[in-house]
Amino acid sequence: MARYKVGLIGGDGIGPEVIGETIKVIAATGVKLDTVVYDLGADRYLRTGEVLPDDTLIEIKALDAVLLGAVGPPIGSTQVPSGILERGLLLKLRFELDLYVNMRPFVTPKGWNRFNIDPIDMVVIRENTEGSYAGEGGLLRKGTKQEVATQGSVNTRFGVERVIRYAFELASSRPRKHLSLVHKTNVLTYAGDLWQRTFNEVAKEYPDIETAYSHVDAACIHMVESPSRYDVIVTDNLFGDILTDLCGAVSGGIGLAASANLNPDRTGPSLFEPVHGAAHDIVGTGIANPMAAIRSGALMLEFLGETQAAGRINAALEAYEIPEGIKTSAIGDAIAERV
Ligand code: IPM
Ligand code: MN
């Protein structure tokens, strides 16, 4: 049986707690992982000043996959400047490993109806290496009355086309065969033009896929009023970030939302992480829900080709209703047992 070399970056806040439960559940499937624990995140930074040392990055590039909990200091922390960990660790990994697809599936659990809306079954494909996340811009005359801040958005034909192609392929594999582009082409007329033209051109190669377009603000309305109109969505990095938090909230809660940062060309490892953040306010309380991380673990197994094991985890998650007041580790135990 194959063994996989998987890097574990628990990270900050509840990250290590939810990754611990994920490993427990994967072990129950019988899939063998050789895990390498990486001490990265706020604590490491405060202790040593290091965010992602070069030799660690080289090591990570040789792994089969990475599981990540959450990265980021407590909100309002003055010890870790904003963005140091997000840009220096999380985004650096996405860029260096060329994880250009951020795949975020959302499926409303049976019986869950907190907002009284249609059940959701969709996948958001978020471009993950460009847009406003590329870091274009800077500060001029910082701290003076004439200071200027610019923050650009990088959109390349190459980057846009490859993620759109991935989305068409995914839509082809799903029964509904429907793909929506989400952007803001009425205002972001340069980037929007590139996205829309590329989308239209690639669409010609997929005549059996029905396509649609939503402005991102309208997509927010649809997401709470008529989310069933969506099957697969493809969108840019920042819109995808914002929209998927909303999708998570309306499709079962952010405690269930999983994500796969994929390098579909498999020139290196892909990285799997829950959509939620470090939630420093609940660290150690045992109330963190590990289901998003566990679901991300299933996405990892699926990408590694362990389809059966992934299916067992997904089935266990689907059948599981969280009992009132249950603790993080008891949820992990219950799901591992069902697997
Ligand atoms: C996410 C997170 C990250 C992002 C942050 C932590 C940099 O919000 O994965 O959605 O903005 O992409
Ligand atoms: Mn986010």
Side-chain angles (χ1 to χ4, degrees), residues 188-220:
L188 306 184
T189 49
Y190 311 131
D193 185 54
L194 177 61
W195 274 83
Q196 184 75 71
R197 266 187 297 113
T198 308
F199 185 82
N200 295 348
E201 279 172 37
V202 177
K204 287 187 196 136
E205 298 170 35
Y206 294 86
D208 56 332
I209 302 292
E210 195 187 332
T211 58
Y213 171 81
S214 304
H215 290 316
V216 65
D217 46 351
C220 292

Side-chain angles (χ1 to χ4, degrees), residues 96-263:
E96 285 282 337
L97 302 176
D98 205 18
L99 307 175
Y100 64 86
V101 167
N102 193 324
M103 181 180 66
R104 297 183 163 183
F106 301 94
V107 181
T108 310
K110 275 184 214 80
W112 193 90
N113 201 6
R114 182 158 157 212
F115 299 113
N116 194 29
I117 57 178
D118 305 344
I120 290 174
D121 182 359
M122 69 170 83
V123 183
V124 178
I125 299 298
R126 162 184 175 188
E127 200 292 320
N128 212 29
T129 53
E130 299 190 343
S132 334
Y133 280 66
E136 191 204 64
L139 288 158
L140 184 64
R141 302 193 291 264
K142 186 173 175 176
T144 72
K145 284 207 165 107
Q146 296 80 29
E147 84 178 298
V148 180
T150 62
Q151 192 92 49
S153 173
V154 174
N155 299 264
T156 69
R157 170 73 198 210
F158 166 76
V160 170
E161 186 172 329
R162 65 181 181 172
V163 76
I164 286 177
R165 268 184 198 287
Y166 184 89
F168 271 101
E169 283 295 321
L170 178 69
S172 301
S173 74
R174 290 169 60 91
R176 274 183 66 190
K177 305 203 184 304
H178 189 280
L179 176 64
S180 293
L181 172 65
V182 169
H183 207 279
K184 185 76 186 174
T185 55
N186 55 344
V187 174
L188 306 184
T189 49
Y190 311 131
D193 185 54
L194 177 61
W195 274 83
Q196 184 75 71
R197 266 187 297 113
T198 308
F199 185 82
N200 295 348
E201 279 172 37
V202 177
K204 287 187 196 136
E205 298 170 35
Y206 294 86
D208 56 332
I209 302 292
E210 195 187 332
T211 58
Y213 171 81
S214 304
H215 290 316
V216 65
D217 46 351
C220 292
I221 299 176
H222 301 326
M223 211 51 80
V224 297
E225 285 191 354
S226 53
S228 55
R229 73 171 62 216
Y230 295 119
D231 176 22
V232 181
I233 287 177
V234 64
T235 190
D236 94 339
N237 209 338
L238 183 59
F239 296 147
D241 176 45
I242 299 166
L243 197 62
T244 53
D245 267 19
L246 178 57
C247 295
V250 297
S251 68
I254 203 71
L256 298 184
S259 83
N261 297 265
L262 301 178
N263 171 338

Side-chain angles (χ1 to χ4, degrees), residues 11-32:
D12 302 316
I14 60 167
E17 300 173 23
V18 296
I19 290 303
E21 300 310 313
T22 305
I23 291 305
K24 201 191 267 178
V25 172
I26 292 177
T29 67
V31 172
K32 299 276 180 265

